[in-house]
Amino acid sequence: MFSIRQERLFSLEEILEMSPKESYPLLLDPLNITPLLRVVSKKAFLGAPTTLNYSAMIYSLFIRVIERIPTIKDLRKRLKNSLEFRFDCGFTMADAVPSESSYTRMIQKIKGSSALEKIQNELVSQAFQEGFIDGDVIAIDATHIEARDRKPEKKKDEEVPVKQTSKKRGRKPKSEREKWLKEQQELEENRPLFEKKIEAQLPLDFKTIEQQIPQDPHWGIKKNSEGKNVFWFGFKGHLLVDCKSQYILKSLLSSGNVNDGKMAIPLLKALHELHPQLKPSYSLLDAGYDYSPIYQQAKAMGSRALIDYNPRNEQLPEDKDKYFCPKCQEGHSYRYDSYDSRYDTLKYTQPKKCKECPLKENNQCQKVFKVKVSSDPRKYTVPARGSGRYFELYKQRTAVERVNAYLKEYFQLNNIRHRGNVAKIDFEFSILTYTLCKLAVDRLNKFKRIAAA
């Protein structure tokens, strides 16, 4: 009797461990560096000729991430000491090894453009056309990134300010209240976008929001697995990932102090505007994103937001359980039955234990409950909280956490070398290199399946 063995698919780790002669062509073949060359190349034909091989310099920056070379200085050392590595990057014998200043000037030019973003969008569209991206279920999450900038010193209070006598607290008199309300409204309108409430982002398009994202390093805070606060100085990387294929559909970098919830709407808007062919049915987010405007934005895209409920000192109603399912008089939770799209209602039926309940004979317990989702989108989701289908979908959110781990372990996301807002270049190179590797792995696996058929 023959034993049928399932063919082992190629993994992301395996392609990174291949020899450069095998891996570099596979990884860099889908890369179209034309947008980058337009940015860094000489614009005029007059003057001294260009002596730098910009194509090879660009490829070497991607290879630096693949080979996990920590700095540009180490990259130059490798180019000097290894002719084979120099040829693999695209340099010829006539090309001199570029100086660190040359790399710095080129990176500064790339920073002022959107070339890396365009290439990433092209690769995502290409992966979708080849059938690697489903886009039905997406997930959003943030990860902390430490900066290399010097951490600001704590300011010492040289003079103790004189304590001013505070006015009587409470509601202001009518004569002062109108003036105070106008002042508060003016203050709110003049604040930067990311200091306003999240709903201020809803009427804006993605480009308008993107231009106002703070990207300077700042102190950030998060809770670890033990529930303790952890501080770091730097940035936050925000990812929107396709759960099935684990492709990064959109990524954004912000200062470390920006609230995670304020970056969800820009990510969703970017997906809707830049990749209209992707129409996610479900958007998965953790409790840090539990804000009503995020539900509204997901609904405007035709997607259902499944977000862990964050109580924020809100008391649960006595007639509901922790998943907001109705409870009978004996305290048993009703069961989620179905969703009616015509009336936007969730249907709950009597629990099994109610079959033997003495109250059933007198019809004292209601048989069916129907709740409108629009009455409170944070509490009532489709499918309903606590249902098996909800947990089955929400488990897929681990895909974005897995991608974050890959980026830090294999793609230098935990090794930001540039200071200030130039750190965005390191972030984008990490994201783009990951996408190249993912596309190469999927193409290899597709070829193996076709060959085995």
Side-chain angles (χ1 to χ4, degrees):
M1 183 176 179
F2 293 97
S3 61
I4 301 174
R5 294 180 60 189
Q6 186 175 3
E7 186 182 7
R8 185 172 177 273
L9 295 179
F10 218 72
S11 68
L12 197 63
E13 294 89 343
E14 286 177 319
I15 199 167
L16 293 172
E17 292 173 359
M18 290 170 60
S19 65
K21 286 186 178 180
E22 294 176 328
S23 63
Y24 291 175
L26 290 172
L27 299 176
L28 300 177
D29 179 61
L31 181 62
N32 175 24
I33 64 171
T34 305
L36 289 170
L37 288 174
R38 287 174 183 165
V39 172
V40 302
S41 298
K42 188 179 174 184
K43 301 296 185 293
F45 292 103
L46 303 176
T50 303
T51 58
L52 296 173
N53 188 340
Y54 284 118
S55 298
M57 289 175 70
I58 291 169
Y59 284 126
S60 68
L61 289 177
F62 286 100
I63 292 171
R64 182 184 79 84
V65 178
I66 296 168
E67 295 291 334
R68 283 165 259 178
I69 300 173
T71 63
I72 298 295
K73 183 178 180 180
D74 293 323
L75 175 63
R76 290 189 67 253
K77 190 183 295 185
R78 182 88 176 267
L79 288 169
K80 281 184 176 181
N81 297 336
S82 174
L83 278 175
E84 185 179 2
F85 180 75
R86 198 187 305 179
F87 293 147
D88 289 337
C89 291
F91 290 99
T92 64
M93 289 293 293
D95 294 325
V97 176
S99 64
E100 287 187 57
S101 300
S102 299
Y103 274 107
T104 302
R105 285 192 293 270
M106 186 178 74
I107 288 170
Q108 287 291 340
K109 289 180 180 178
I110 295 173
K111 172 189 167 291
S113 71
S114 58
L116 290 173
E117 182 183 355
K118 289 178 181 177
I119 296 172
Q120 171 68 14
N121 293 336
E122 287 176 3
L123 289 175
V124 170
S125 299
Q126 193 171 344
F128 174 76
Q129 291 171 5
E130 295 184 28
F132 300 135
I133 294 178
D134 184 350
D136 187 55
V137 182
I138 60 173
I140 293 175
D141 200 11
T143 185
H144 75 284
I145 303 170
E146 293 192 9
R148 294 192 63 81
D149 301 65
R150 181 179 293 179
K151 298 174 184 179
E153 297 179 0
K154 189 176 180 181
K155 295 180 180 179
K156 296 181 180 180
D157 298 327
E158 299 178 356
E159 297 181 359
V160 180
V162 180
K163 188 176 180 181
Q164 298 180 353
T165 56
S166 58
K167 296 181 180 179
K168 185 178 178 181
R169 302 176 73 179
R171 188 177 179 87
K172 295 184 179 295
K174 288 184 178 180
S175 58
E176 298 179 12
R177 183 167 176 75
E178 290 185 6
K179 182 181 177 183
W180 177 79
L181 286 172
K182 287 181 180 179
E183 289 175 355
Q184 293 300 313
Q185 187 177 359
E186 288 178 2
L187 285 173
E188 182 67 23
E189 290 175 355
N190 294 329
R191 283 180 182 173
L193 179 61
F194 280 83
E195 291 182 14
K196 295 180 180 179
K197 294 181 179 179
I198 297 179
E199 49 263 33
Q201 299 177 358
L202 287 173
L204 305 176
D205 61 352
F206 167 65
K207 286 299 179 184
T208 305
I209 299 174
E210 185 185 29
Q211 292 170 1
Q212 301 184 56
I213 297 175
Q215 292 180 345
D216 293 320
H218 207 284
W219 282 105
I221 181 173
K222 67 169 184 173
K223 284 189 177 181
N224 59 14
S225 57
E226 300 175 356
K228 296 180 180 179
N229 289 333
V230 178
F231 297 87
W232 83 95
F233 183 76
F235 311 93
K236 276 185 182 178
H238 306 267
L239 304 182
L240 189 152
V241 173
D242 176 39
C243 291
K244 186 176 180 180
S245 64
Q246 296 182 21
Y247 275 89
I248 300 172
L249 305 180
K250 185 57 187 175
S251 61
L252 292 171
L253 186 73
S254 73
S255 301
N257 63 331
V258 174
N259 184 282
D260 292 357
K262 293 186 176 180
M263 295 299 294
I265 290 178
L267 287 169
L268 291 171
K269 283 181 176 286
L271 179 69
H272 185 61
E273 294 176 18
L274 301 176
H275 303 290
Q277 72 275 16
L278 298 175
K279 302 183 185 301
S281 300
Y282 298 99
S283 303
L284 314 180
L285 304 93
D286 63 24
Y289 298 88
D290 185 26
Y291 296 95
S292 296
I294 298 176
Y295 288 91
Q296 294 176 34
Q297 178 59 41
K299 185 178 180 181
M301 296 168 51
S303 178
R304 297 285 183 184
L306 303 183
I307 308 174
D308 266 352
Y309 180 72
N310 190 342
R312 296 192 183 92
N313 299 322
E314 299 171 3
Q315 293 184 353
L316 293 174
E318 294 181 358
D319 60 339
K320 302 284 194 324
D321 65 6
K322 63 179 180 179
Y323 299 119
F324 304 101
C325 297
K327 292 194 296 187
C328 68
Q329 294 184 22
E330 293 293 318
H332 303 305
S333 297
Y334 278 65
R335 295 176 296 169
Y336 169 66
D337 180 82
S338 59
Y339 168 72
D340 190 343
S341 58
R342 293 175 300 171
Y343 302 103
D344 192 33
T345 55
L346 300 173
K347 180 182 177 182
Y348 296 90
T349 56
Q350 277 184 332
K352 292 181 179 178
K353 294 181 180 179
C354 288
K355 292 181 179 180
E356 303 173 357
C357 181
L359 299 175
K360 181 182 178 183
E361 297 177 0
N362 300 327
N363 293 326
Q364 295 182 23
C365 273
Q366 191 170 331
K367 292 183 178 179
V368 175
F369 270 97
K370 291 187 177 181
V371 182
K372 273 196 170 290
V373 175
S374 57
S375 63
D376 195 339
R378 289 181 57 224
K379 296 177 181 177
Y380 303 108
T381 61
V382 182
R385 295 185 184 278
S387 63
R389 177 60 176 160
Y390 181 95
F391 290 126
E392 182 184 345
L393 284 167
Y394 196 76
K395 281 192 297 185
Q396 299 182 47
R397 201 191 69 83
T398 56
V400 68
E401 297 173 350
R402 201 173 299 117
V403 172
N404 276 327
Y406 274 130
L407 290 172
K408 288 191 172 182
E409 186 174 356
Y410 296 106
F411 297 97
Q412 299 278 3
L413 192 60
N414 58 349
N415 182 35
I416 296 294
R417 306 305 303 185
H418 291 91
R419 294 179 172 86
N421 53 15
V422 189
K424 185 183 177 184
I425 293 296
D426 291 333
F427 175 73
E428 290 181 335
F429 267 105
S430 296
I431 300 296
L432 194 47
T433 308
Y434 170 84
T435 306
L436 288 168
C437 291
K438 194 74 184 65
L439 187 56
V441 167
D442 287 343
R443 285 177 170 178
L444 277 173
N445 288 330
K446 185 178 180 180
F447 177 77
K448 289 177 72 175
R449 290 193 194 96
I450 294 173

